[in-house]
Amino acid sequence: MATLRTRFAPSPNGALHLGHAWAAIVAHDRARAGGGEFLLRIEDIDGARSREALVPEILADLAWLGLAWDGPVVRQSARLDSYAAAAGRLRAMGLLYPCRCTRAEIAAAAKAMGPDGPLYPGTCRGRDVDPAGAAWRLDMAAALALAGPLTWFDELAGAQAARPDLFGDVVLVRRDAPASYHLAATLDDATDGITVVTRGADLFAASHVHRLLQALLGLPVPVWHHHGLLVEAGGRKLAKRRGSPSLGDRRRAGEDGPALAMSLRTGRLPTGIALAARLDCPA
Ligand code: GLU
């Protein structure tokens, strides 16, 4: 049996807030309850949004909450070669094609919405597009034909039939980053030996794509645990601009971190905050 291993994988694009604390607690406690390991992975490959100065803040926030991680902190920015190698394999399998469409062009031409926004209408598929500086998209129909029907298991939602087709031809290599979230997270979870992928229910649909990538690249298949999200009482996501203090704000104000973590665990939520059980779960 593989060691039970979970991870918390924040993107250092903004200060962590209560929702991140909840995600980290779920991952940490899921590992500890089974005698497993809890890893910390910094998802720092978004050159435009990622801020190095936030990384020590993240470490301090977790320590303040009383959440100790195992092993060295993993950095996506140290793994660019592995993303390039996987993209190269998918390209050699004939499953990727370059695309130079802008967001605005896609939004104008899209006929439907997918889980990540306007569904790519396939404009560049089969065209002779200059790959220099292009994004690379997965030819979803070809990938599905190769992989066949797939299933995955969520500890809370049960068995799922994989529906990566909902995403259409997803971007796996971005124009402005060496991998998309989908490719990098899937590869990292395999590299790190993650056996239970915990993350918010807002990313439930992403697991359909990740399951397909695991099949295409011959990666181990974890189980998933998509937890509910902390939201404002009206149902909106927490946002600092609407007065939800960051964990750093709370820490610097002298709040008791372990006590806050315990109150989240026991459902004693701060005023105006609620736990939304499932946000984005089809089925
Ligand atoms: N980096 C993602 C985020 O901060 C989390 C991705 C994941 O857990 O798979 O939302």
Side-chain angles (χ1 to χ4, degrees):
M1 277 282 284
T3 307
L4 166 64
R5 194 173 289 136
T6 67
R7 86 296 191 279
F8 175 54
S11 307
N13 301 340
L16 300 191
H17 55 63
L18 268 188
H20 294 104
W22 178 234
I25 289 167
V26 170
H28 171 273
D29 290 6
R30 179 68 187 81
R32 297 288 179 247
E37 294 174 0
F38 168 62
L39 268 59
L40 174 59
R41 183 168 77 224
I42 305 292
E43 303 209 323
D44 59 349
I45 52 169
D46 188 330
R49 299 175 65 210
S50 189
R51 283 158 52 202
E52 184 59 31
L54 289 171
V55 175
E57 287 286 299
I58 291 172
L59 307 193
D61 289 340
L62 291 181
W64 170 70
L65 288 166
L67 304 176
W69 59 91
D70 295 300
V73 177
V74 174
R75 293 287 200 121
Q76 284 195 328
S77 54
R79 292 183 164 171
L80 305 188
D81 290 351
S82 86
Y83 308 147
R89 282 180 59 199
L90 293 170
R91 213 175 282 134
M93 292 160 77
L95 295 177
L96 301 189
Y97 64 87
C99 167
R100 307 185 70 89
C101 295
T102 63
R103 271 176 200 275
E105 286 165 348
I106 295 168
K111 297 201 166 47
M113 288 298 281
D116 276 349
L119 203 57
Y120 184 65
T123 320
C124 292
R125 193 190 317 120
R127 281 201 185 157
D128 189 13
V129 172
D130 179 3
W136 289 81
R137 290 183 178 274
L138 182 68
D139 182 335
M140 185 57 77
L144 290 174
L146 193 64
L150 298 166
T151 57
W152 55 278
F153 188 79
D154 181 279
E155 291 185 333
L156 303 179
Q160 307 293 318
R163 293 289 316 276
D165 54 297
L166 296 173
F167 285 77
D169 291 358
V170 277
V171 169
L172 294 188
V173 181
R174 288 168 45 167
R175 297 179 82 147
D176 58 349
S180 70
Y181 158 66
H182 297 303
L183 182 61
T186 304
L187 289 168
D188 286 341
D189 286 337
T191 303
D192 295 332
I194 301 303
T195 59
V196 183
V197 173
T198 71
R199 61 174 161 241
D202 55 333
L203 286 170
F204 188 94
S207 300
H208 293 307
V209 175
H210 301 186
R211 180 66 189 88
L212 174 61
L213 293 176
Q214 287 154 2
L216 297 174
L217 292 165
L219 303 175
V221 181
V223 301
W224 279 263
H225 180 116
H226 291 95
H227 56 79
L229 299 185
L230 293 186
V231 293
E232 292 179 2
R236 291 197 294 185
K237 276 195 183 186
L238 300 183
K240 195 172 161 74
R241 67 178 180 281
R242 287 196 292 270
S244 178
S246 70
L247 298 184
D249 293 339
R250 290 173 179 271
R251 175 164 50 83
R252 280 182 284 272
E255 194 172 331
D256 182 336
L260 173 66
M262 193 49 73
S263 68
L264 295 181
R265 286 183 175 107
T266 53
R268 282 179 290 117
L269 303 177
T271 312
I273 306 267
L275 181 66
R278 308 202 54 76
L279 284 189
D280 183 28
C281 172

